[in-house]
Amino acid sequence: MTIKIDRRQLMALGTFGLGAMSAPAYASMASARGFTHGVASGEPSQNSVLLWTRYVGGGDNKLTVEMAQNVDFSGAKMVGEATASASRDYIAKFVAPDLSENQWYFYRFIAADGSTSSTGRTRTLPQGPTEKFNLGVFGCSNMPFGYFNAYAHAAERNDLDLIMHSGDYLYEYPVGTYPSTKEALAGRTLDPGHEIVQLADYRLRYAAYRSDPDLQRIHQFYPMVAMWDDHEFTNDAHMSGAQNHQPKTEGDWEVRKRAAEQVYREWMPVRDRDDGGPLWSEYQIGDLATLFLTESRIGGRSEPADLAAALQGQENIQSALETFRDTIWQDPERQMLGAVQEAWLTEAMRKSRTSGTKWQVWGQQCVMGELKLPQEAVNWLADDAPAFAKARVAVGALAAKVGLPINLDSWDGYPQARERALMGAQEADADLIVLSGDSHNGWAFNLETGSGAAGVEFGGHSVTSPGLESYLSGADPATAARAVRETNDQLQWCNTSNRGYMTVSLTPEKATSTWHFLDTVRAKSTVLKGSESRTVMRGQRSLMV
């Protein structure tokens, strides 16, 4: 029997005090001792779930793990052991086995001195006939830009089953860069103050982010599945480098990449990869959905095409754009996922479909739908817009005239790889839903190939990172959104001005995404400005009008 968690039990979790504390109160947590950063859980299956905590002691510390169906841990409970290892930044993980399917559990860690972690709540996945499952989808949470009100709002709910983080869980920049000193919100303290490059840097930055009480709260209340995007490494990362990595001053890319992945796996509720296993994963949600989680940065992604380099020194810009479009941009050798992962995804969708699973849900990082810049965007820039923004919009408008997209770092920069992936879904006869992040704005697309409808995409907006409105501040957001929709045939809806998160409700008949818009991120508040929903019916592979 599945136990439902009631409000009394949720309130019991709140007695551990996280909700009453502010981020500045946690600013020194990186050097604190004991249980420093709450608890988290992730990667659930029908009979197991990974549990996480951090305990700082004098060295390696054995912790007792308790898990029960009651918040007071009365009655039957499971007991295990985990080690908070100094060599792993005092992180302890425990994969709880032999659990019941479709069941909520409470868990906690106990140190040898009797001190106890906060109590977390987690759940296993359903098996067999499943009538409903609700996902919360988050991405792009830049701490100095504002409060994590999206996490706080979701933690107040009692209707979510699983959290998915699409990436950019944190940002690598030094204090004063994205956001600038002027843009940064007072009290949202980053550590270290410089750009994170070394192993110790990444650890300190995660410690600073995970000190946020609302981020701790969402981890405490729900299991999470997650995959990094670029900023967990550095901006516009790919297999062989990154836009924001300079080997002459920041060392070897492979060293930085390994350090960033190690710390991600330490601080996130995800399994370690010491055995060299694949970066990608899947989660079976009864007979309702298979959730595929892919990696599109360091495993197989080719370096993004460089339009600026192609235009440099060219007298005939129109001709140069057309040549770039027909050669570099359309090069079929350029990969987003890599050939091995691409083949795995196609086969996994086929297996999901033939097993009778109703939805094939692909969680990944970057927007997949086609996005070209409206010509009128050149008039949307504020007079005091920075030079780089003016140049980017001017080039984007010219590129759009020959059919080139806004952002070559998204799937739009890899059109042949996108076509292959979507054709794989069509060949599998999948009822495909793509969940994405990265862009900081909300999107709803009908995804298509040359053969027709391939599925839909729900693109999530950011927790705090600014969206298109920060560049196109000279235009009314509704006017800009309307022009973007009219310019892009696959795009059915967009929001280019609000922060928040998505929820995706799955039933056997339909899937509905709802974008929740927070009233502000500049002050602590869970007040919503509004919401917007879009639905796809099973078998239709396009959004309802």
Side-chain angles (χ1 to χ4, degrees):
M1 180 181 70
T2 299
I3 294 179
K4 294 185 178 180
I5 306 300
D6 61 25
R7 180 55 56 181
R8 176 191 62 81
Q9 292 172 312
L10 292 180
M11 292 299 292
L13 292 183
T15 62
F16 292 90
L18 287 175
M21 301 184 80
S22 63
Y26 274 81
S28 63
M29 273 299 186
S31 60
R33 299 179 70 83
F35 290 103
T36 64
H37 287 81
V39 294
S41 68
E43 300 192 345
S45 71
Q46 279 70 28
N47 56 21
S48 69
V49 66
L50 183 148
L51 308 178
W52 179 102
T53 196
R54 184 172 188 259
Y55 181 85
V56 181
D60 291 356
N61 289 269
K62 291 285 188 183
L63 305 177
T64 299
V65 185
E66 292 188 343
M67 199 169 193
Q69 293 180 0
N70 298 313
V71 70
D72 59 2
F73 293 87
S74 60
K77 62 188 174 193
M78 188 195 74
V79 178
E81 276 194 348
T83 299
S85 172
S87 66
R88 302 290 286 180
D89 206 13
Y90 302 99
I91 302 300
K93 295 180 187 178
F94 177 75
V95 178
D98 304 322
L99 305 179
S100 299
E101 67 191 52
N102 202 31
Q103 175 67 60
W104 286 99
Y105 288 92
F106 297 95
Y107 65 95
R108 64 188 178 189
F109 295 81
I110 303 172
D113 63 3
S115 62
T116 305
S117 72
S118 53
T119 295
R121 184 187 72 155
T122 192
R123 64 161 295 161
T124 53
L125 299 180
Q127 187 161 346
T130 303
E131 293 302 312
K132 190 171 185 179
F133 198 86
N134 292 331
L135 287 165
V137 182
F138 297 81
C140 305
S141 39
N142 189 316
M143 189 172 178
F145 266 118
Y147 289 104
F148 291 161
N149 293 335
Y151 295 138
H153 186 273
E156 291 178 352
R157 307 170 64 116
N158 194 26
D159 60 348
L160 299 179
D161 297 298
L162 181 66
I163 299 298
M164 180 190 127
H165 204 289
S166 63
D168 295 343
Y169 184 91
L170 50 64
Y171 286 72
E172 81 280 11
Y173 296 112
V175 171
T177 299
Y178 199 69
S180 66
T181 302
K182 181 180 178 180
E183 293 170 317
L185 189 63
R188 303 289 283 169
T189 306
L190 285 182
D191 197 17
H194 57 265
E195 181 176 332
I196 55 175
V197 177
Q198 308 294 334
L199 182 74
D201 300 337
Y202 282 96
R203 284 173 168 172
L204 286 170
R205 188 60 59 88
Y206 275 91
Y209 268 71
R210 288 291 292 275
S211 70
D212 181 90
D214 296 317
L215 180 50
Q216 286 197 24
R217 194 75 163 158
I218 197 73
H219 276 301
Q220 182 189 14
F221 268 47
Y222 297 109
M224 177 183 285
V225 295
M227 177 51 68
W228 56 67
D229 193 19
D230 54 338
H231 290 289
E232 290 90 343
F233 294 83
T234 192
N235 187 55
D236 289 358
H238 50 88
M239 276 197 303
S240 55
Q243 176 275 329
N244 193 30
H245 180 75
Q246 292 73 44
K248 289 184 178 180
T249 57
E250 295 173 328
D252 184 80
W253 170 241
E254 290 299 320
V255 173
R256 184 176 187 177
K257 189 166 65 173
R258 285 195 298 271
E261 179 176 352
Q262 176 181 326
V263 178
Y264 182 91
R265 293 191 181 281
E266 288 171 351
W267 277 85
M268 296 294 287
V270 300
R271 295 172 198 257
D272 296 329
R273 202 169 65 92
D274 297 337
D275 60 356
L279 293 170
W280 52 89
S281 57
E282 64 180 284
Y283 302 89
Q284 189 65 33
I285 303 169
D287 67 348
L288 185 59
T290 309
L291 172 61
F292 310 102
L293 201 60
T294 57
E295 193 280 333
S296 60
R297 283 293 174 184
I298 64 168
R301 179 194 280 249
S302 306
E303 183 175 358
D306 191 342
L307 179 57
L311 295 180
Q312 188 172 8
Q314 299 294 320
E315 293 185 5
N316 189 331
I317 298 299
Q318 176 80 11
S319 176
L321 286 168
E322 291 173 352
T323 299
F324 175 86
R325 177 196 64 195
D326 297 337
T327 56
I328 297 172
W329 185 55
Q330 287 288 352
D331 183 357
E333 296 300 316
R334 300 181 60 256
Q335 297 273 358
M336 189 73 154
L337 301 178
V340 175
Q341 186 177 195
E342 194 176 275
W344 167 80
L345 180 62
T346 297
E347 177 62 12
M349 286 191 288
R350 185 193 66 78
K351 288 181 178 178
S352 172
R353 188 75 172 93
T354 56
S355 73
T357 302
K358 299 183 174 59
W359 297 101
Q360 288 66 51
V361 182
W362 178 8
Q364 52 91 53
Q365 292 72 56
C366 296
V367 170
M368 181 166 264
E370 298 176 7
L371 278 174
K372 296 184 291 292
L373 192 68
Q375 293 302 303
E376 55 265 49
V378 295
N379 301 317
W380 296 345
L381 287 162
D383 292 338
D384 60 351
F388 80 87
K390 293 179 179 178
R392 185 170 183 178
V393 170
V395 172
L398 286 172
K401 288 184 177 180
V402 299
L404 286 168
I406 302 172
N407 183 13
L408 295 177
D409 186 61
S410 71
W411 280 90
D412 258 341
Y414 304 79
Q416 293 295 326
R418 174 174 57 198
E419 185 81 358
R420 290 193 302 270
L422 293 178
M423 286 184 67
Q426 290 173 320
E427 291 167 6
D429 194 29
D431 270 296
L432 178 66
I433 300 168
V434 175
L435 305 178
S436 58
D438 185 60
S439 77
H440 307 174
N441 299 114
W443 312 96
F445 287 95
N446 287 331
L447 298 174
E448 301 172 355
T449 71
S451 301
V456 304
E457 177 178 17
F458 299 134
H461 45 325
S462 61
V463 172
T464 59
S465 300
L468 281 175
E469 79 283 355
S470 64
Y471 296 105
L472 307 177
S473 55
D476 173 70
T479 300
R482 183 170 60 251
V484 173
R485 287 197 308 273
E486 292 172 351
T487 302
N488 297 280
D489 293 340
Q490 293 184 7
L491 182 61
Q492 305 301 299
W493 170 86
C494 66
N495 175 282
T496 61
S497 58
N498 296 118
R499 314 280 71 80
Y501 69 106
M502 279 195 309
T503 53
V504 179
S505 176
L506 303 170
T507 72
E509 297 80 24
K510 64 182 180 180
T512 299
S513 177
T514 301
W515 292 262
H516 307 277
F517 309 122
L518 274 298
D519 186 60
T520 183
V521 297
R522 304 295 290 182
K524 284 189 70 68
S525 171
T526 56
V527 175
L528 288 181
K529 179 178 291 185
S531 62
E532 187 77 25
S533 297
R534 291 294 184 274
T535 294
V536 58
M537 303 301 294
R538 189 159 64 92
Q540 295 301 304
R541 297 175 175 85
S542 60
L543 295 164
M544 293 179 62
V545 178

